Amino acid sequence: MSDPGTSVHFRLRIDSIDLGDWNTCDGLGIQVELEEHQEGGNNDFVWQLPSRLVYTNVTLTRPLTPDTAKVFKYLSKLPQKVRRGTAEIAALKPDRSLLVQWGLADVVLVRWSGPTFDPSRSEVASESIELAYHGFTEVG
């Protein structure tokens, strides 16, 4: 069920397990690390050589929904088998049609954060899930 106040939302699947729709997706990215090399006799510039790729962790967040039970079911199985898998993050329009999607390789769930309940503050109870990965894969 999509949030009518949100123009885009995200669907998350890990190893083909549907973990529902999420309101925000943050951190999806890649960075090329550079090694600097100073060449003797060359004072015009320092060589910047690409060395490795670093994929930033992705965090998805949403208010508590009935899909929270899907995440809890997934989390309850982690102690028996923490292993790397694959994930799909799909950006969906309000009518649930696909806007774009990303496939993530060698995914591991590194953090789940549940809601904070504070009676002195009026805030939406939310949850977030953080994923580490080692690359992108083709989806579809």
Side-chain angles (χ1 to χ4, degrees), residues 19-33:
L19 297 181
D21 291 350
W22 300 77
N23 290 66
T24 63
C25 177
D26 183 44
L28 188 63
I30 184 173
Q31 178 178 338
V32 177
E33 286 188 350

Side-chain angles (χ1 to χ4, degrees), residues 76-101:
S76 68
K77 295 179 181 177
L78 282 180
Q80 291 84 30
K81 52 180 178 180
V82 175
R83 61 179 178 79
R84 292 194 175 270
T86 59
E88 293 177 12
I89 298 174
L92 305 174
K93 298 176 189 175
D95 65 1
R96 302 202 44 81
S97 63
L98 181 65
L99 182 62
V100 66
Q101 62 185 347

Side-chain angles (χ1 to χ4, degrees), residues 37-140:
H37 177 73
Q38 297 181 20
E39 183 178 9
N42 181 1
N43 296 325
D44 293 337
F45 62 91
V46 174
W47 289 101
Q48 295 190 10
L49 307 172
S51 64
R52 70 181 64 145
L53 301 176
V54 176
Y55 296 89
T56 55
N57 287 2
V58 176
T59 302
L60 294 108
T61 307
R62 68 177 170 205
L64 295 182
T65 69
D67 283 338
T68 298
K70 294 177 182 179
V71 175
F72 184 74
K73 183 177 178 181
Y74 180 80
L75 292 171
S76 68
K77 295 179 181 177
L78 282 180
Q80 291 84 30
K81 52 180 178 180
V82 175
R83 61 179 178 79
R84 292 194 175 270
T86 59
E88 293 177 12
I89 298 174
L92 305 174
K93 298 176 189 175
D95 65 1
R96 302 202 44 81
S97 63
L98 181 65
L99 182 62
V100 66
Q101 62 185 347
W102 300 270
L104 308 179
D106 297 328
V107 171
V108 64
L109 188 148
V110 294
R111 179 178 294 126
W112 174 81
S113 299
T116 300
F117 296 106
D118 184 348
S120 67
R121 297 169 55 181
S122 178
E123 294 181 346
V124 174
S126 62
E127 67 176 325
S128 64
I129 193 168
E130 183 178 345
L131 307 172
Y133 61 104
H134 286 163
F136 295 106
T137 62
E138 289 188 34
V139 181

